[in-house]
C-alpha cells in the first residue's frame, strides 16, 4: 500500500520534532528513515502507526485518511526496538495475539489461527520455538518473533523502529540480509528507522535522510552517497574531508590561497568544501590545489591511509586521505592533493 | 557545531519519549486533555482509557482511601478534642499518661539503639561477605515481620513466665523480666529487629565493596573505612531504617500487651494506655494519647517521603 | 560477625526454639484436642476466612488505587499516594480505637449504616473492615513499582496489533502484574491473619462468633493455659511460613517466567 505524508508538524513543547515533513512511499517499497537521534525519524514512524498524533498535517494510507483511525484500527504492523514481546505468553500466543483480539465478527476459528501462526513461524524459521517464552530466546530470535507477530494481522504496511538497534554486530548483519530477502518474498510496503547509515544503504531501496525534524534528501542508496543534496547529508553519510573555503564568483580560496577548482555555482561567501577520502588525487608537490606534508601512513587491504598536514595561516589542518597502493607514500614526504570529485555548500551558520 | 547538535539531540530524544513514558495523560495539561473529549483523547493516546472510566477509577480510589484511611485518622483527632482543648491537655497531664509516655520513650530509645548497632553489623555481614548460612541469616532477620505480634509476645512468656523455661530461676534470683520493663523492651526489640537491616542490605549490596577495597588499599584501617567510607554512603538508608524502627517501637501493641502485665503507671506504654482508657470509656483521654501516636505516624510518613526522595537522588540524578 | 550471630540467636532463635519445645511437650492427642476444640476451630476459621475475604477486597481495590495513582494525574494524587502508607505507620491500637469509634452505632459511619440495618462494630464485619484497613498498603506497594516499570512498548504493541483498550488491559497488562498481585495478596492475607491491635477493639470478641485466633492466644495465656496458647500459635506460625514459602516461589516464578498452566 502507498503511504502519503503531507505537511506534518509535531512539537514537543517548543521543540519541533517534525517541521513540515512531506513524504510519499510507493507500494511495495522498502524505505529507510535515516538520521541522528532526535532527527524526528522515530516520531514520523510513530505518527504513521497511530502511536503519536501530529499537531497538523495529513497522513494517508492507500489514499485513505489515516488520522481518523487509532493505532488499533490502522492495520499497521509495528516492530519495536526492544521487541515488546508479551512476557507472559509463549511465542505461539504472542504471534496469535493479533488474531485473537479481532472483533468477533471477523475473528477466525481456532484451527485457522493455529495454521496461520504456524505458517508465520515457518516464515521466520522459528517454528521449533513456539512453546518457549520470550525470556528463553536470544535477541535475534525475539526480533524475528516480533516481526512474525506484526505480520500476523496481515498489515497493510510494516513499520520497524530501529529493528536491529539492540542486537550485537554479527546478528545484526545476518538479520539485515534476512529482512531484505523476506521483503522480496512478501513485498509489503515497509519503512524502517535507523541511525546506522550502513544498515540503511545496505537494506533499503530508498533512503530518507532526516535532520532536526526535516527531510534533507530522499534517494536511492547510490544517490544519497554519491550526490548528497546538502552539507548535512554529505557529512552524515560516508566519511568526508571538510575544509572551510571562500567562494567569490567561480573562484574558490582556502586560507586566501586560490584552489584551482570550480565553484560549480556555489554562492559567494563562506562555504565548506566536501571531499570523500578516496576522491583526493595525490601528486608531486606543487602539482595540485593543496600542498601538505605526510605525517603518518598506514596500509591495509588495497589502500593506504595517510595523515596529511595542510599548512595554513593559523597552524596546520590534518586530514586523512585514502590512496591506492600503486605508489608507496612515505612519512615526511611533501605532496600535492587535487580533489577529483567534490561538493561545495555555502555555510549556513 | 557537532558538540551542540550532540547536546541538542540528547535532550530532544528525552523529550520525544516523555509523553509516552510519562504515564498516560499528557502531564502538563490534564484538564485540557479531558476537555478535548473521550473519543479523541482515547485515539490520541493508545495508552489510556476513555474519560468516564478514568473518572470512575479515580473516584473509587479516592473514596476508598478517604473512607478507610483518612476518616479513621480524622476521628482520632476529632474525638481527642471533642471536649475542648482544655480536656485534651488535662488528659495528657495525668500522671498515668506521663508515665506511659516516659516508658514508651525509654523502650524506644533502648530498642532503636540496640537494633541500630546490630542492624548495621548484620547488614554489613550479609552484603559484604560470603559465608555459609547466609540465606538462613536473611530468613532469620525477616522472621519477626511474618510472625503475629501476639506470638512474638508469647515466646517471651514461654521463656520468662512463671511456668516458662527460665521462670523458676529468675524468681529464685528475684529478677523481673516479664510484666516489667525488660520484658517490654525485649518484645519490642524482637518485633523491630528487621527494620534497620532490611533498609541497609539492598543499599549496601548495590554499592558493593569497591569503595571499601579502595580505602583499605590506600591504607585506611577497618574502622576508618567504616566511618569514612561505608557510613557516609548508607546514611540516608540508615536514617530510613531507624525512622521506621522507632515508629514501630513506639506503636507496638500486640507483643507488648502480652508481656506487659498492664500495671498502671508502671508497665503501660502509650498504646496499652489507649486500650485501657478506651475500655474504661474515657474516650477523650484515650484519643488524646492516640492523637500523639497518630502525630508520630504522620511525622514519620513525612520524613519517610523526604528520605525516599533523598535515596532516589543518590541512585539516579533524576528530578521528577 | 560472631556478635551478630549471638545477638540474633538471643533475640530471635532462642524465643522461637522455646515455642517449638513447648509444643513438643504436648502429646499429639493433646495438641489435636486443643486445635480441634470448637472455640479454637472457630477462631481459626474466623481469622483465616475473614483474612482471605479482606485480602480479596484489597486485591481489587489495591489494583484500582495503583492504577489511579500510576496512570492518571488528578489533584491531590501525591497526597493520596502518601496516605496509602498510613495503615503501615499508624500504631495498631490507634487504628483499632479509631475504626471502632468510626463504625460504632453512634459513629460517623456507624450511624448511617445502622439506619440501613447494617451493624459493623462488634460483629465479624468489623473484623473484616479492620483487616481491609491494614492490608491495603501491601497490595498497593507491591504492585505499584511493577506497573510503573511496565514497558510502554508492550501496550503500544497490543494496540498496533488491533487490540482495543479492554483487550490490552485484561490480556496484556493485568497478566503481567499477576506475580505482583499475588504477592501483595499473600502479604495482606498473612498480615490480617496475625493482626491483633487494630482488630480486637472492633471485633466484639464473642467466642465462636467474632473471636480471632490471636486473641484466643492472649486469652489462653492470661488463663495460664500455656500449652493451649502455644498450640494455636504453632498453627498460625506454620500457616504464615507456608504463605512466605509461597511468596518466594511466586517471586522466583515471576523472575523466570515459568508457566503456571
Amino acid at each position: 500500500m502507498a503511504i502519503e505524508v503531507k505537511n506534518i508538524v509535531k512539537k514537543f513543547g517548543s521543540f519541533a520534532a517534525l517541521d513540515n515533513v512531506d513524504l510519499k512511499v510507493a507500494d511495495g517499497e522498502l524505505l529507510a528513515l535515516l538520521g541522528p537521534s532526535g532527527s524526528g525519524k522515530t516520531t514520523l514512524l510513530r505518527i504513521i502507526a497511530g502511536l503519536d498524533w501530529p499537531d497538523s498535517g495529513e497522513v494517508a494510507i492507500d489514499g485513505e485518511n489515516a488520522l481518523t483511525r487509532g493505532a488499533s484500527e490502522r492495520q499497521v504492523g509495528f516492530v519495536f526496538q526492544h521487541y515488546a514481546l508479551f512476557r507472559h505468553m509463549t511465542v505461539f500466543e504472542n504471534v496469535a495475539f493479533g488474531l485473537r483480539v479481532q472483533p468477533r465478527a471477523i475473528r477466525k476459528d481456532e484451527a485457522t489461527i493455529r495454521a496461520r501462526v504456524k505458517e508465520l513461524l515457518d516464515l521466520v524459521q522459528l517454528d521449533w520455538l513456539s512453546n518457549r517464552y520470550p525470556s528463553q530466546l536470544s535477541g535475534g530470535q525475539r526480533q524475528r518473533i516480533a516481526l512474525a507477530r506484526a505480520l500476523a494481522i496481515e498489515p497493510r504496511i510494516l513499520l520497524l523502529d530501529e529493528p536491529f538497534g539492540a542486537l550485537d554486530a554479527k546478528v545484526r548483519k545476518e538479520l539485515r540480509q534476512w529482512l531484505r530477502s523476506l521483503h522480496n518474498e512478501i513485498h509489503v510496503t515497509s519503512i524502517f528507522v535507523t541511525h546506522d547509515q550502513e544498515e540503511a544503504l545496505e537494506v533499503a531501496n530508498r533512503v530518507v535522510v532526516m535532520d532536526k525534524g526535516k527531510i534533507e534528501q530522499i534517494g536511492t542508496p547510490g544517490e544519497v552517497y554519491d550526490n548528497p543534496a546538502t552539507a548535512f547529508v554529505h557529512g552524515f553519510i560516508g566519511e568526508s574531508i571538510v575544509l572551510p573555503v571562500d567562494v567569490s564568483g567561480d573562484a574558490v580560496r582556502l586560507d586566501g590561497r586560490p584552489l584551482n577548482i570550480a565553484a560549480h555555482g556555489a554562492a559567494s561567501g563562506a562555504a565548506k568544501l566536501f571531499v570523500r577520502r578516496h576522491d583526493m588525487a595525490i601528486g608531486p608537490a606543487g602539482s595540485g590545489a593543496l600542498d601538505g606534508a605526510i605525517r603518518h601512513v598506514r596500509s591495509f587491504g588495497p589502500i593506504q591511509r595517510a595523515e596529511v598536514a595542510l599548512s595554513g595561516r593559523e597552524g596546520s589542518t590534518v586530514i586523512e586521505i585514502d590512496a591506492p597502493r600503486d605508489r608507496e607514500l612515505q612519512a615526511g614526504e611533501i605532496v600535492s592533493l587535487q580533489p577529483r570529485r567534490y561538493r561545495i555548500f555555502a555555510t549556513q551558520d | 557545531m557537532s558538540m551542540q547538535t550532540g547536546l541538542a539531540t540528547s535532550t530532544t530524544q528525552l523529550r520525544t519519549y516523555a509523553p509516552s513514558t510519562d504515564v498516560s495523560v499528557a502531564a502538563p495539561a490534564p484538564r485540557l486533555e479531558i476537555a478535548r473529549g473521550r473519543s479523541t483523547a482515547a485515539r490520541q493516546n493508545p495508552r489510556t482509557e476513555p474519560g468516564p472510566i478514568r473518572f470512575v477509577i479515580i473516584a473509587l480510589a479516592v473514596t476508598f482511601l478517604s473512607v478507610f484511611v483518612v476518616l479513621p485518622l480524622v476521628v482520632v483527632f476529632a474525638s481527642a478534642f471533642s471536649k475542648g482543648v482544655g480536656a485534651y491537655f488535662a488528659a495528657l497531664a495525668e500522671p498515668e499518661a506521663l508515665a506511659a509516655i516516659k516508658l514508651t520513650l525509654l523502650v524506644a530509645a533502648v530498642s532503636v539503639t540496640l537494633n541500630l548497632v546490630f542492624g548495621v553489623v548484620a547488614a554489613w555481614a550479609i552484603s559484604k561477605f560470603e559465608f555459609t548460612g547466609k540465606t538462613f541469616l536473611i530468613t532469620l532477620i525477616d522472621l519477626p515481620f511474618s510472625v503475629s505480634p501476639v506470638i512474638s509476645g508469647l515466646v517471651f512468656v514461654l521463656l520468662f513466665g512463671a511456668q516458662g523455661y527460665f521462670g523458676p530461676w529468675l524468681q529464685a534470683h528475684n529478677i523481673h523480666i516479664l510484666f516489667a520493663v525488660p520484658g517490654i523492651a525485649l518484645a519490642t526489640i524482637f518485633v523491630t529487629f528487621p527494620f534497620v537491616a532490611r533498609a541497609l542490605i539492598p543499599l549496601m549490596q548495590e554499592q558493593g565493596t569497591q569503595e571499601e577495597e579502595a580505602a583499605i588499599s590506600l591504607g585506611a584501617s577497618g574502622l576508618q573505612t567504616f566511618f569514612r567510607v561505608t557510613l557516609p554512603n548508607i546514611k540516608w538508608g540508615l536514617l530510613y531504617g531507624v525512622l521506621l524502627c522507632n515508629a514501630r517501637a513506639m506503636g507496638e501493641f500486640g507483643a507488648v500487651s502480652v508481656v506487659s502485665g498492664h500495671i498502671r503507671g508502671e508497665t503501660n506504654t502509650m498504646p496499652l494506655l489507649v486500650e485501657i482508657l478506651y475500655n474504661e470509656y474515657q474516650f477523650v483521654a484515650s484519643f488524646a494519647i492516640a492523637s500523639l501516636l497518630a502525630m508520630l505516624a504522620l511525622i514519620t510518613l513525612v520524613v519517610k517521603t523526604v528520605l525516599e526522595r533523598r535515596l532516589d537522588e543518590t541512585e539516579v540524578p533524576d528530578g521528577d | 560477625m560472631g556478635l551478630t550471630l549471638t545477638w540474633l540467636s538471643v533475640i530471635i532463635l532462642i524465643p522461637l526454639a522455646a515455642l517449638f519445645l513447648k509444643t513438643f511437650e504436648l502429646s499429639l492427642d493433646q495438641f489435636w484436642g486443643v486445635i480441634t476444640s470448637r472455640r479454637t476451630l472457630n477462631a481459626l476459621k474466623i481469622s483465616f476466612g475473614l483474612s482471605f475475604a479482606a485480602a480479596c477486597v484489597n486485591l481489587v481495590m489495591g489494583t484500582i488505587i495503583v492504577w489511579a495513582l500510576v496512570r492518571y494525574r488528578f489533584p491531590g494524587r501525591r497526597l493520596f499516594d502518601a496516605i496509602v502508607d498510613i495503615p503501615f505507620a499508624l500504631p495498631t491500637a490507634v487504628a483499632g480505637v479509631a475504626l471502632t469509634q468510626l463504625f460504632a452505632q453512634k459513629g460517623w459511619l456507624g450511624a448511617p449504616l445502622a439506619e440501613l440495618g447494617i451493624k459493623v462494630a462488634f460483629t465479624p464485619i468489623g473484623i473484616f473492615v479492620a483487616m481491609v484497613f491494614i492490608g491495603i498498603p501491601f497490595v498497593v506497594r507491591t504492585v505499584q513499582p511493577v506497573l510503573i516499570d511496565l514497558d510502554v512498548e508492550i501496550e503500544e504493541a497490543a494496540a498496533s496489533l488491533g487490540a482495543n483498550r479492554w483487550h490490552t488491559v485484561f490480556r496484556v497488562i493485568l497478566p503481567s502484574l499477576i506475580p505482583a498481585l499475588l504477592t501483595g495478596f499473600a502479604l495482606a492475607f498473612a498480615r490480617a491473619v496475625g493482626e491483633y491491635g487494630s482488630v480486637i477493639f472492633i471485633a466484639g470478641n464473642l467466642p465462636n462468633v467474632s473471636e480471632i485466633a490471636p486473641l484466643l492466644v492472649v486469652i489462653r495465656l492470661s488463663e495460664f493455659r500455656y500449652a493451649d496458647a502455644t498450640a494455636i500459635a504453632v498453627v498460625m506460625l506454620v500457616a504464615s511460613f507456608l504463605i512466605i514459602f509461597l511468596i518466594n516461589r511466586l517471586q522466583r516464578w515471576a523472575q523466570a517466567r515459568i508457566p503456571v498452566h
Side-chain angles (χ1 to χ4, degrees):
Chain A
M1 304 274 170
I3 306 167
E4 193 168 356
V5 170
K6 258 194 229 161
N7 303 329
I8 290 288
V9 175
K10 173 72 178 173
K11 288 195 164 113
F12 293 114
S14 60
F15 167 76
L18 291 173
D19 188 1
N20 235 343
V21 169
D22 287 296
L23 179 64
K24 274 186 189 168
V25 188
D27 187 25
E29 262 197 291
L30 176 52
L31 189 88
L33 292 181
L34 173 65
S37 56
S39 58
K41 54 193 194 303
T42 294
T43 308
L44 180 59
L45 197 76
R46 290 172 58 86
I47 285 175
I48 296 172
L51 296 171
D52 265 329
W53 240 255
D55 298 329
S56 64
E58 290 167 36
V59 178
I61 298 175
D62 209 27
E64 178 191 294
N65 181 6
L67 294 180
T68 56
R69 293 159 175 255
S72 59
E73 304 155 332
R74 281 194 201 179
Q75 226 186 330
V76 166
F78 199 100
V79 177
F80 293 83
Q81 185 176 2
H82 301 288
Y83 327 121
L85 293 177
F86 306 130
R87 289 189 301 171
H88 62 284
M89 294 182 196
T90 60
V91 163
F92 184 94
E93 285 304 321
N94 262 284
V95 177
F97 182 85
L99 302 172
R100 294 201 193 283
V101 297
Q102 276 177 338
R104 206 158 298 223
I106 58 162
R107 196 183 303 158
K108 295 173 186 68
D109 62 74
E110 184 63 23
T112 318
I113 291 177
R114 295 201 153 263
R116 174 81 184 131
V117 174
K118 171 99 181 40
E119 191 185 310
L120 284 161
L121 289 174
D122 282 340
L123 180 71
V124 298
Q125 297 149 10
L126 290 175
D127 55 321
W128 52 286
L129 289 176
S130 68
N131 289 319
R132 300 274 186 91
Y133 281 80
S135 61
Q136 299 164 307
L137 307 183
S138 72
Q141 288 169 342
R142 284 180 210 180
Q143 191 57 280
R144 275 145 74 188
I145 295 303
L147 192 62
R149 184 179 68 174
L151 291 173
I153 58 167
E154 287 169 42
R156 301 191 293 168
I157 51 176
L158 185 62
L159 306 175
L160 306 99
D161 184 13
E162 297 271 6
F164 313 125
L167 301 169
D168 61 55
K170 188 165 167 285
V171 182
R172 191 186 264 237
K173 262 215 141 82
E174 285 168 14
L175 275 185
R176 269 185 217 164
Q177 290 157 1
W178 177 79
L179 177 65
R180 207 172 43 188
S181 57
L182 184 80
H183 182 259
N184 285 338
E185 210 173 311
I186 57 175
H187 247 80
V188 57
T189 311
S190 308
I191 304 179
F192 73 99
V193 155
T194 180
H195 63 269
D196 180 347
Q197 43 159 312
E198 206 184 310
E199 200 165 284
L201 300 181
E202 202 177 296
V203 179
N205 306 128
R206 273 205 307 159
V207 178
V208 176
V209 186
M210 295 186 67
D211 183 42
K212 294 178 187 161
K214 287 192 152 118
I215 291 179
E216 295 274 327
Q217 187 173 7
I218 306 178
T220 63
E223 279 164 7
V224 294
Y225 187 87
D226 292 328
N227 290 309
T230 64
F232 172 80
V233 178
H234 208 308
F236 189 70
I237 295 179
E239 291 187 77
S240 305
I241 298 161
V242 187
L243 294 169
V245 292
D246 269 305
V247 178
S248 56
D250 202 35
V252 182
R253 284 195 180 79
L254 172 70
D255 250 1
R257 279 176 294 128
L259 302 174
N260 48 351
I261 55 174
H264 289 312
S268 290
K272 280 191 174 127
L273 170 70
F274 284 80
V275 191
R276 298 276 184 218
R277 266 188 200 154
H278 53 82
D279 281 336
M280 250 344 163
I282 302 178
S287 66
L290 302 155
D291 278 359
I294 294 179
R295 302 218 310 195
H296 184 76
V297 182
R298 277 174 298 155
S299 299
F300 40 83
I303 61 152
Q304 44 189 340
R305 178 162 296 172
E307 272 178 26
V308 181
L310 305 174
S311 51
R313 263 191 308 226
E314 290 151 29
S316 59
T317 315
V318 178
I319 59 171
E320 276 192 334
I321 58 164
D322 288 346
R325 292 180 69 173
D326 47 2
R327 187 172 78 86
E328 292 293 329
L329 298 171
Q330 300 293 329
E333 206 180 331
I334 306 291
V335 291
S336 194
L337 306 175
Q338 177 66 40
R340 276 189 291 254
R341 288 162 54 90
Y342 59 89
R343 294 292 300 265
I344 297 172
F345 298 103
T347 309
Q348 279 150 354
D349 42 357
Chain B
M1 187 192 119
S2 70
M3 271 283 281
Q4 259 185 348
T5 0
L7 275 174
T9 48
S10 69
T11 43
T12 55
Q13 189 71 359
L14 275 175
R15 284 221 206 110
T16 324
Y17 273 96
S20 42
T21 324
D22 189 0
V23 234
S24 75
V25 191
R31 277 187 198 86
L32 205 116
E33 188 79 17
I34 293 160
R36 240 188 272 167
R38 308 149 215 169
S39 60
T40 27
R43 224 166 235 163
Q44 297 258 344
N45 188 342
R47 295 188 56 241
T48 193
E49 293 74 38
I53 293 181
R54 256 185 294 171
F55 180 79
V56 169
I57 289 176
I58 293 173
L60 272 174
V62 167
T63 312
F64 181 89
L65 287 175
S66 304
V67 170
F68 277 91
V69 182
V70 179
L71 219 47
L73 199 65
V74 176
V75 163
V76 172
F77 291 97
S79 307
F81 288 101
S82 61
K83 297 266 159 62
V85 181
Y88 176 80
F89 284 107
L92 290 183
E94 287 285 323
E96 221 176 31
L98 291 176
I101 293 170
K102 241 161 72 187
L103 179 60
T104 298
L105 291 177
L106 173 71
V107 168
V110 170
S111 46
V112 169
T113 313
L114 284 174
N115 281 339
L116 167 67
V117 173
F118 288 97
V120 170
V121 177
W124 167 278
I126 282 170
S127 51
K128 312 256 169 173
F129 300 99
E130 286 302 325
F131 53 90
T132 45
K134 191 162 149 175
T135 359
F136 179 68
L137 195 63
I138 296 173
T139 319
L140 217 55
I141 289 174
D142 275 351
L143 207 70
F145 269 166
S146 41
V147 171
S148 171
V150 167
I151 298 178
S152 308
L154 165 76
V155 294
F156 289 99
V157 175
L158 294 181
L159 279 179
F160 304 118
Q163 303 172 28
Y165 292 102
F166 301 116
W169 185 86
L170 289 171
Q171 250 171 359
H173 292 79
N174 204 18
I175 302 171
H176 298 285
I177 291 187
L178 211 62
F179 309 136
V181 177
I184 296 175
L186 273 176
T188 308
I189 290 169
F190 182 89
V191 294
T192 56
F193 188 83
F195 285 101
V196 174
R198 262 296 196 80
L200 291 184
I201 290 171
L203 197 64
M204 287 170 100
Q205 273 174 341
E206 191 189 322
Q207 285 170 352
T209 50
Q210 279 192 10
E211 287 183 46
E212 276 83 1
E213 282 165 358
I216 287 168
S217 78
L218 291 169
S221 71
L223 274 183
Q224 280 173 324
T225 307
F226 179 78
F227 281 104
R228 288 171 183 245
V229 178
T230 310
L231 201 58
N233 276 337
I234 60 168
K235 63 179 177 218
W236 297 122
L238 191 62
L239 260 174
Y240 187 83
V242 165
L243 180 81
L244 297 186
C245 181
N246 177 64
R248 179 73 191 264
M250 290 191 172
E252 178 53 29
F253 177 72
V256 171
S257 167
V258 171
V259 298
S260 129
H262 304 274
I263 305 164
R264 296 208 140 184
E266 277 182 44
T267 62
N268 274 338
T269 60
M270 289 163 74
L272 296 180
L273 190 61
V274 168
E275 180 196 20
I276 289 174
L277 293 172
Y278 191 82
N279 287 340
E280 288 172 353
Y281 302 103
Q282 300 190 43
F283 292 132
V284 170
S286 171
F287 277 105
I289 307 281
S291 74
L292 292 183
L293 289 168
M295 285 296 289
L296 168 78
L298 289 179
I299 293 168
T300 302
L301 277 188
V302 171
V303 178
K304 176 174 159 276
T305 313
V306 173
L307 281 180
E308 273 166 351
R309 213 159 290 169
R310 279 287 161 91
L311 277 168
D312 281 350
E313 273 167 23
T314 46
E315 271 167 35
V316 210
D318 186 336
D320 170 34
Chain C
M1 263 307 300
L3 202 63
T4 321
L5 282 178
T6 316
W7 176 251
L8 266 171
S9 20
V10 169
I11 214 70
I12 295 178
L13 271 185
I14 293 178
L16 281 175
L19 184 67
F20 281 96
L21 277 178
K22 195 79 197 172
T23 323
F24 288 125
E25 283 176 13
L26 290 164
S27 74
L28 206 64
D29 282 349
Q30 276 174 303
F31 182 81
W32 196 245
V34 172
I35 295 308
T36 53
S37 79
R38 183 160 165 262
R39 193 169 169 187
T40 313
L41 267 186
N42 279 327
L44 288 171
K45 257 190 235 164
I46 289 162
S47 274
F48 282 95
L50 288 176
S51 297
F52 187 82
C56 288
V57 170
N58 282 330
L59 186 67
V60 175
M61 284 317 297
T63 309
I64 290 172
I65 290 169
V66 168
W67 198 273
L69 291 178
V70 172
R71 288 304 175 97
Y72 304 141
R73 296 289 173 271
F74 55 94
R77 184 185 62 93
R78 275 168 178 279
L79 185 68
F80 279 102
D81 196 347
I83 281 170
V84 170
D85 276 334
I86 285 179
F88 267 155
L90 202 64
T92 55
V94 178
V97 292
L99 287 170
T100 312
Q101 195 79 345
L102 189 62
F103 286 99
Q105 217 136 25
K106 286 180 185 162
W108 292 350
L109 292 178
L113 284 171
E115 277 185 27
L116 295 172
I118 303 169
K119 202 166 171 285
V120 176
F122 317 124
T123 71
I125 305 175
I127 302 177
F128 167 78
V129 165
M131 285 171 166
V132 168
F133 171 83
I134 50 150
I136 196 71
F138 290 93
V139 176
V140 174
R141 293 299 181 233
T142 320
V143 179
Q144 197 175 22
V146 183
L147 184 62
I148 289 173
D149 285 345
L150 199 67
D151 194 355
V152 175
E153 286 188 348
I154 71 161
E155 282 172 61
E156 294 181 342
S160 79
L161 291 168
N164 58 31
R165 194 59 192 160
W166 180 267
H167 279 139
T168 306
V169 170
F170 285 92
R171 292 198 180 203
V172 175
I173 303 176
L174 288 183
S176 311
L177 299 180
I178 282 177
L181 285 169
L182 287 179
T183 306
F185 175 87
L187 288 171
F189 177 70
R191 173 70 196 263
V193 167
E195 183 56 27
Y196 178 68
S198 45
V199 176
I200 53 156
F201 295 95
I202 201 172
N205 306 328
L206 211 63
N208 301 317
V209 178
S210 55
E211 185 178 65
I212 54 168
L215 179 66
L216 193 55
V217 172
V218 174
I219 290 173
R220 292 301 185 225
L221 270 181
S222 65
E223 296 165 350
F224 299 103
R225 289 165 70 175
Y226 287 7
D228 292 35
T230 311
I232 302 166
V234 164
V235 171
M236 289 172 57
L237 208 59
V238 168
S240 46
F241 277 140
L242 278 178
I243 294 166
I244 294 167
F245 178 72
L246 234 95
I247 293 173
N248 285 338
R249 286 294 298 268
L250 256 172
Q251 232 116 37
R252 223 169 304 157
W253 167 68
Q255 269 158 20
R257 286 287 154 174
I258 294 160
V260 274
H261 36 77

